[in-house]
Amino acid sequence: MISFSQNQSIMNENFAIVIHGGAGTILKKNMTPAMEKAYQEKLQEALDSGYTILKNGGSAIDAVEKAILVMEDSPLFNAGKGAVYTNASTNELDASIMDGKTLNAGAVAGVSHIKNPIKLARVVMEKSEHIMLSGKGAEDFAKQHQLEMVDSAYFYNEHRLNQLNKIKKTEKIQLDHSDEKNQGDASAFKDSKFGTVGAVALDKHGNLAAATSTGGMTNKKFGRIGDSPIIGAGTYANNATCAVSCTGHGEFFIRNVVAYDVAALMEYKNMRLVDAANYVVKEKLVKLGGEGGLIAIDKHGNIAMPFNTKGMYRGYKKSSGESEILIFKN
Amino acid sequence: MISFSQNQSIMNENFAIVIHGGAGTILKKNMTPAMEKAYQEKLQEALDSGYTILKNGGSAIDAVEKAILVMEDSPLFNAGKGAVYTNASTNELDASIMDGKTLNAGAVAGVSHIKNPIKLARVVMEKSEHIMLSGKGAEDFAKQHQLEMVDSAYFYNEHRLNQLNKIKKTEKIQLDHSDEKNQGDASAFKDSKFGTVGAVALDKHGNLAAATSTGGMTNKKFGRIGDSPIIGAGTYANNATCAVSCTGHGEFFIRNVVAYDVAALMEYKNMRLVDAANYVVKEKLVKLGGEGGLIAIDKHGNIAMPFNTKGMYRGYKKSSGESEILIFKN
């Protein structure tokens, strides 16, 4: 009934990568030109690093991992190095990755001493019989597999600590991104702002992959797990349909099983990628009040980057030569 | 395009509840008559307790919670009192619940001192702004909300400890249920056996709900999270389509987004509940090698209980008077 054919033997020159660095109340008026340039340059670097892998015949899974690594190592995004603080002034990071060829996947939730959670998610996918590991147990697994561990000082970030302290005053759980320019203004936190980085890719072998990494919500408590490490909610890839990575108010993405929903609409309702993605983000999520966006790519290299917030850090690069980095609504 | 109409105003007399107590290599030849009777009686008690709530005009969410509570409090099932042991000889329990009327949901992962994880999942749904809480953080939340805490002695179970010790010798991660009769035989662990309890219900108000609770896998390590606490994978409910609770090899259920997939096939492909459930369990899961089963109910009170293992503890009770408790393949 449903075909998982992967066209592995057909080497095509049609490949592409799409990335995001979070969606939220991202407005040009709140951003300095220097800050805008910094985001554009880092997004370009992430995009180029993944694209180079694809161009050289590498796998979609390698490309998405590499693009995420670049963003995890930058303090600009709420993932890896730039992760926001929990209520306890710790950092608890989540990540997941899925291979559209095998439907295999790996995810980690609530890790505090892993430099690159996306690397750990990939090792979970490839070296464990599990999909999702959490907390200290996930870190024990990381040590066994020689992943780079860091102490909490690695995540030290005065800007993020200021975010936490301000929001603690307002006692409001807060999603990232802050308006960079308004960080001195507690009222700016009234806006929903989201972090999270993600990447999806189609390689020359016709394989799709998706990956997502996040530091979660500023001031989060109680070991909260959002959609980013949940296969089907924040991340999904299947060669038969598409690869998807989400960013936004995670609870709504979980309830709507957003990443898989895009694939299901394509597979079961024969919707085009862009229609399925738009329908989920701009109709279904909006109906429930769920803010955010997603990036998606299908097996033909069509892409979609819908969001229902003011902006979303995003970019794509296709083998056709088309490429763009975007931040605000067009 | 998609209707979330809930027929709340239409008070119908058509209501039903379906439960499961795990799927696996459950064979009549391996079970004593006394053990079979014990399971049948406990399943009947769980079914009746949920059904009574529905009959009295109560909500589907109350009915599924109550049915799960009865099974969590019994040592017969791998949930609550009867939870299996992790590699570290601890118990880490997971549970989730979803309300088909609001699409609200709650889940907990890796809790070790909560008597009834399903109660905590419900409190997460109703009293927090999050869907999923984990580990010690989830327990802190439980304490704030006065849930009954237990020390690890509550979960002490010689049979489960024997399971752990035997499997540690074979160094094989093991899914519950063991063949009760073969517990002295380490070779019995070669078979896949699954625990987990679940319930789905349709109430007189036309509302659907689903809930799942588990102790996970014997000898699990690294803070492994299975499908049971994952909305979309182990549990899903939507008044527009159906309510689903899964049991089986969790990793495959996560990769297939099983619970939501049944709903998506109904909504997007206009499949009947029984066809959608059978297709997911007997075709899609089998193709990937994923063992297990699920229970499901739709808004009309149609039910499905497919599994691709030797047996599944299961039962249903409908307002029409039909009721059955089943264990083996028919």
Side-chain angles (χ1 to χ4, degrees):
Chain A
M1 201 159 172
I2 285 156
S3 150
F4 285 94
S5 72
Q6 288 143 14
N7 304 320
Q8 280 171 264
S9 53
I10 306 161
M11 196 71 161
N12 60 52
E13 285 301 310
N14 195 19
F15 58 91
I17 182 165
V18 191
I19 62 171
H20 71 74
T25 311
I26 305 162
L27 293 166
K28 198 170 177 79
K29 63 171 180 165
N30 294 334
M31 226 184 214
T32 63
M35 189 57 79
E36 193 176 331
K37 187 161 175 278
Y39 274 106
Q40 278 172 331
E41 285 176 356
K42 190 52 74 175
L43 289 165
Q44 191 68 57
E45 183 190 338
L47 207 50
D48 290 345
S49 65
Y51 185 83
T52 301
I53 288 170
L54 299 175
K55 196 181 171 190
N56 293 336
S59 69
I61 203 91
D62 282 342
V64 296
E65 183 186 5
K66 180 63 186 167
I68 300 266
L69 281 174
V70 170
M71 292 187 281
E72 280 184 345
D73 287 344
S74 162
L76 289 174
F77 306 98
N78 176 23
K81 177 77 180 152
V84 299
Y85 284 93
T86 68
N87 179 266
S89 301
T90 59
N91 308 94
E92 291 179 358
L93 294 81
D94 305 328
S96 66
I97 192 164
M98 187 163 185
D99 182 344
K101 178 180 165 186
T102 58
L103 299 187
N104 207 350
V108 291
V111 292
S112 300
H113 302 94
I114 308 294
K115 189 183 176 210
N116 291 110
I118 198 65
K119 273 193 189 173
L120 179 54
R122 175 132 185 213
V123 175
V124 171
M125 177 173 83
E126 292 178 349
K127 312 268 184 188
S128 89
E129 50 190 308
H130 300 311
I131 302 283
M132 190 171 187
L133 302 183
S134 65
K136 199 192 155 293
E139 297 192 351
D140 292 343
F141 177 82
K143 283 175 201 159
Q144 279 191 13
H145 291 272
Q146 282 84 48
L147 270 94
E148 189 173 350
M149 309 295 289
V150 289
D151 64 24
S152 50
Y154 172 76
F155 300 104
Y156 179 79
N157 183 318
E158 204 180 327
H159 165 52
R160 297 295 194 201
L161 266 180
N162 285 339
Q163 284 184 326
L164 174 65
N165 292 330
K166 262 166 219 149
I167 201 157
K168 271 188 166 176
K169 282 183 198 154
T170 65
E171 263 313 305
K172 191 172 167 299
I173 304 281
Q174 177 63 36
L175 293 120
D176 195 66
H177 285 291
S178 73
D179 290 355
E180 301 295 340
K181 202 175 162 184
N182 284 351
Q183 58 179 282
D185 174 14
S187 71
F189 293 108
K190 285 183 201 153
D191 295 323
S192 294
K193 296 151 206 130
F194 308 86
T196 305
V197 303
V200 297
L202 168 69
D203 65 29
K204 288 184 179 179
H205 313 280
N207 293 318
L208 295 169
T212 310
S213 180
T214 190
M217 296 164 79
T218 297
N219 200 30
K220 70 180 173 184
K221 298 175 191 174
F222 307 129
R224 177 252 187 190
I225 296 176
D227 65 316
S228 299
I230 297 186
I231 299 302
T235 303
Y236 185 75
N238 186 336
N239 277 4
T241 49
C242 61
V244 181
S245 169
C246 300
T247 173
H249 196 144
E251 279 69 15
F252 291 90
F253 284 69
I254 293 174
R255 293 163 65 193
N256 280 284
V257 200
V258 167
Y260 180 67
D261 204 25
V262 175
L265 284 161
M266 291 179 68
E267 184 159 2
Y268 302 146
K269 245 181 138 56
N270 292 315
M271 282 175 81
R272 294 186 312 148
L273 178 83
V274 63
D275 296 331
N278 280 336
Y279 174 58
V280 170
V281 172
K282 296 179 178 175
E283 292 190 46
K284 287 183 81 169
L285 273 173
V286 168
K287 203 173 282 181
L288 272 190
E291 291 179 279
L294 61 80
I295 53 170
I297 187 165
D298 71 12
K299 57 184 170 180
H300 307 295
N302 298 307
I303 67 163
M305 309 187 294
F307 55 97
N308 59 35
T309 49
K310 297 290 184 193
M312 179 166 85
Y313 298 105
R314 63 203 187 279
Y316 64 90
K317 193 163 183 173
K318 296 179 170 187
S319 52
S320 62
E322 290 171 90
S323 185
E324 245 181 322
I325 300 281
L326 298 159
I327 298 179
F328 314 108
K329 233 176 213 169
N330 283 8
Chain B
M1 199 160 172
I2 286 156
S3 151
F4 286 94
S5 72
Q6 288 142 14
N7 305 320
Q8 280 171 266
S9 54
I10 306 161
M11 196 72 161
N12 61 53
E13 285 300 311
N14 194 18
F15 58 91
I17 182 165
V18 191
I19 62 171
H20 71 73
T25 311
I26 306 162
L27 293 165
K28 198 171 178 80
K29 63 172 178 161
N30 294 334
M31 227 184 214
T32 63
M35 190 58 77
E36 193 177 332
K37 186 160 176 279
Y39 274 107
Q40 278 172 332
E41 285 176 357
K42 191 51 74 175
L43 289 166
Q44 191 67 57
E45 182 189 339
L47 207 50
D48 290 345
S49 66
Y51 185 84
T52 301
I53 288 170
L54 298 174
K55 196 181 171 190
N56 293 336
S59 69
I61 204 92
D62 282 342
V64 295
E65 183 187 5
K66 179 65 187 165
I68 299 266
L69 281 174
V70 170
M71 293 187 281
E72 280 184 345
D73 287 344
S74 161
L76 289 175
F77 306 98
N78 175 23
K81 176 77 180 151
V84 298
Y85 284 94
T86 68
N87 179 265
S89 302
T90 58
N91 309 94
E92 291 179 0
L93 295 81
D94 305 328
S96 66
I97 192 164
M98 186 162 185
D99 182 345
K101 177 180 167 187
T102 58
L103 299 188
N104 208 348
V108 292
V111 292
S112 300
H113 302 93
I114 308 295
K115 189 183 177 211
N116 291 111
I118 198 65
K119 272 193 189 172
L120 180 54
R122 175 131 186 215
V123 175
V124 170
M125 176 173 83
E126 291 178 350
K127 312 269 185 189
S128 88
E129 50 189 310
H130 300 311
I131 302 283
M132 190 171 188
L133 302 183
S134 63
K136 198 191 154 295
E139 298 192 350
D140 292 343
F141 178 82
K143 283 174 200 159
Q144 280 190 14
H145 290 272
Q146 284 85 46
L147 270 94
E148 190 173 349
M149 310 296 289
V150 289
D151 63 25
S152 49
Y154 172 76
F155 300 105
Y156 179 78
N157 183 318
E158 205 179 328
H159 166 54
R160 297 295 195 200
L161 266 180
N162 285 341
Q163 284 184 327
L164 175 65
N165 292 331
K166 262 168 219 149
I167 202 158
K168 271 188 166 174
K169 282 183 198 153
T170 64
E171 262 314 304
K172 191 172 168 298
I173 304 281
Q174 179 62 37
L175 293 119
D176 197 66
H177 284 288
S178 73
D179 291 355
E180 300 296 340
K181 202 175 160 184
N182 285 350
Q183 58 179 283
D185 174 15
S187 71
F189 293 108
K190 286 183 199 151
D191 294 324
S192 295
K193 296 153 208 129
F194 307 88
T196 305
V197 303
V200 296
L202 168 69
D203 66 28
K204 288 185 181 179
H205 313 280
N207 293 319
L208 294 169
T212 309
S213 181
T214 190
M217 296 163 79
T218 298
N219 199 31
K220 72 179 173 185
K221 298 176 191 174
F222 307 130
R224 177 253 188 189
I225 296 176
D227 65 316
S228 298
I230 297 185
I231 298 304
T235 304
Y236 185 74
N238 186 336
N239 277 4
T241 49
C242 60
V244 180
S245 169
C246 300
T247 173
H249 194 144
E251 278 68 15
F252 291 90
F253 284 68
I254 293 173
R255 292 163 65 193
N256 280 284
V257 201
V258 166
Y260 180 67
D261 204 24
V262 175
L265 284 162
M266 292 180 68
E267 184 158 1
Y268 301 147
K269 245 183 139 55
N270 292 314
M271 283 176 81
R272 293 186 313 148
L273 178 84
V274 63
D275 296 331
N278 281 335
Y279 174 58
V280 170
V281 172
K282 296 180 178 175
E283 293 191 45
K284 288 183 82 169
L285 273 174
V286 167
K287 202 174 283 184
L288 272 190
E291 292 179 277
L294 62 80
I295 53 171
I297 186 165
D298 72 13
K299 56 184 171 180
H300 307 295
N302 299 307
I303 68 163
M305 308 187 292
F307 54 96
N308 59 35
T309 49
K310 297 288 184 192
M312 180 166 83
Y313 298 104
R314 62 202 188 278
Y316 64 89
K317 193 165 183 172
K318 296 179 171 188
S319 52
S320 62
E322 291 171 89
S323 185
E324 246 181 320
I325 300 282
L326 298 158
I327 298 178
F328 313 108
K329 232 176 213 168
N330 283 9

